[in-house]
Amino acid sequence: MKKALTIAGSDSGGGAGIQADIKTFQELEVFGMSAITAVTAQNTLGVQAVYPMTAEAVANQIESIGEDMGTDAVKTGMLFNAEIIEAVSGKIKQYQWGNVVVDPVMIAKGGASLLQNEAVYALKKYLLPLAMIITPNIPEAEVLTEMRIQTDEDKKEAAKKLLELGVKNVVIKGGHDEDPSESIDLLYTGTDFFTFRSRRINTKNTHGTGCTFSAAVAAELAKGSNIHEAVSKGKDFIQAAIEDQLSIGRGHGPTNHGAYRRLSALKE
Ligand SMILES: Nc1ncnc2c1ncn2[C@@H]1O[C@H](COP(=O)(O)OP(=O)(O)OP(=O)(O)O)[C@@H](O)[C@H]1O
Ligand SMILES: Cc1ncc(CO)c(N)n1
């Protein structure tokens, strides 16, 4: 069985963070492992508190995996501060892990900060050069490139700028776009642009969509998919999870991580 390691924050509400990642790995039949960067007290209404781990505690969790089990892919999510980013980058380098998916998590849907402002430089300097793919939403791509992204041309320019930071591939996600009919993700491989389109689902239950999508991309890379296939399957996975709605909590509810596997089974 292929293995994937998520280095991210814990969401007590179970819809985002480590919990979303592990559920996604399991659904895609990849063995899931974790290094927890922070514990959040969180539900569908928002983030009530954040308790970061020390950089040493994060490094030791990664080392435990690196020294014994190894991994076929790594996904990073909430990293919270510059010290944790440096520690994570150091360990990824030490173990020479290649299939690294960086979801540059910055702000939760309710507005809580999951990455300190002064840590953005560390993300750019230490982690992005190690990434196989980075998966920003539009606001995150704006922070990383220091440009406004409104048109399709802006998205392409931002993708090119992100590659200059050392990442090998970029997917700019369209969840935050104005388009009422479609949610369009743009992949740039350094040579080609690809768009992945899906019907936009009118729902408030989108907690953890970004985490789930990037975890699915990591799981597919672990299984040997190329970047195009991995993003394509990630998109199908999140579409199914949003479409097959759950009704959990009073705010932005989680997606349904089991939907993609049930759909795939029906198609067989
Ligand atoms: N309403 C929707 N209908 C269909 N697809 C969606 C919808 N919202 C988001 N997506 C898809 O979900 C994935 C995640 O995109 P999004 O831009 O929401 O990420 P995010 O903002 O990082 O999420 P998070 O809430 O976890 O921070 C993308 O593939 C996007 O196209
Ligand atoms: C722990 C955690 N990671 C990422 C996100 C972004 O969805 C969140 N809300 N919580």
Side-chain angles (χ1 to χ4, degrees):
M1 194 177 197
K2 297 296 183 186
K3 293 162 281 181
L5 165 64
T6 169
I7 304 172
S10 166
D11 168 11
S12 52
I18 289 277
Q19 287 78 359
D21 297 343
I22 297 274
K23 289 175 192 180
T24 302
F25 294 160
Q26 182 74 14
E27 289 295 326
L28 291 169
E29 298 179 304
V30 167
F31 185 80
M33 302 169 290
S34 64
I36 296 184
T37 56
V39 171
T40 69
Q42 186 174 177
N43 54 27
T44 68
L45 300 171
V47 177
Q48 287 80 43
V50 174
Y51 305 95
M53 304 293 291
T54 61
E56 184 192 13
V58 177
N60 284 342
Q61 293 172 77
I62 302 172
E63 198 170 308
S64 294
I65 290 153
E67 293 299 319
D68 177 32
M69 306 160 84
T71 191
D72 299 292
V74 178
K75 175 228 148 131
T76 68
M78 171 185 181
L79 296 173
F80 196 65
N81 64 32
E83 293 72 38
I84 293 176
I85 292 171
E86 273 198 60
V88 168
S89 307
K91 288 294 162 194
I92 290 175
K93 236 177 158 170
Q94 180 185 334
Y95 295 111
Q96 299 182 352
W97 285 327
N99 282 329
V100 179
V101 179
V102 175
D103 184 14
V105 170
M106 293 181 187
I107 296 169
K109 285 230 158 70
S113 174
L114 303 180
L115 180 74
Q116 294 177 343
N117 291 340
E118 60 272 23
V120 171
Y121 91 91
L123 196 65
K124 288 184 174 179
K125 182 165 176 206
Y126 302 110
L127 191 57
L128 296 196
L130 306 175
M132 170 63 77
I133 183 164
I134 181 174
T135 63
N137 60 28
I138 289 169
E140 289 157 355
E142 288 185 332
V143 170
L144 292 169
T145 58
E146 295 173 13
M147 62 177 275
R148 274 303 300 259
I149 302 174
Q150 283 164 326
T151 64
D152 288 348
E153 280 315 303
D154 294 343
K155 279 191 196 168
K156 287 187 173 172
E157 192 187 329
K160 285 182 179 167
K161 279 193 173 187
L162 286 165
L163 243 76
E164 284 163 17
L165 296 171
V167 312
K168 295 187 183 66
N169 301 272
V170 179
V171 58
I172 299 185
K173 299 171 295 187
H176 295 251
D177 254 353
E178 306 278 296
D179 188 333
S181 61
E182 287 188 307
S183 183
I184 305 171
D185 300 346
L186 176 74
L187 169 66
Y188 181 51
T189 61
T191 48
D192 297 292
F193 286 101
F194 300 96
T195 48
F196 297 87
R197 297 167 174 273
S198 67
R199 183 176 71 84
R200 183 176 291 277
I201 301 147
N202 183 14
T203 175
K204 65 178 172 49
N205 297 326
T206 55
H207 179 66
T209 50
C211 304
T212 302
F213 170 76
S214 58
V217 173
E220 289 305 321
L221 289 176
K223 290 193 281 187
S225 292
N226 64 35
I227 280 288
H228 187 278
E229 287 165 348
V231 171
S232 175
K233 289 210 178 141
K235 179 79 174 153
D236 291 348
F237 189 96
I238 191 59
Q239 184 73 13
I242 303 171
E243 218 154 34
D244 193 354
Q245 284 195 48
L246 299 170
S247 177
I248 293 176
R250 288 176 286 134
H252 290 288
T255 68
N256 190 342
H257 293 90
Y260 177 83
R261 184 147 56 143
R262 278 195 298 280
L263 265 184
S264 307
L266 281 177
K267 280 184 196 154
E268 273 169 18

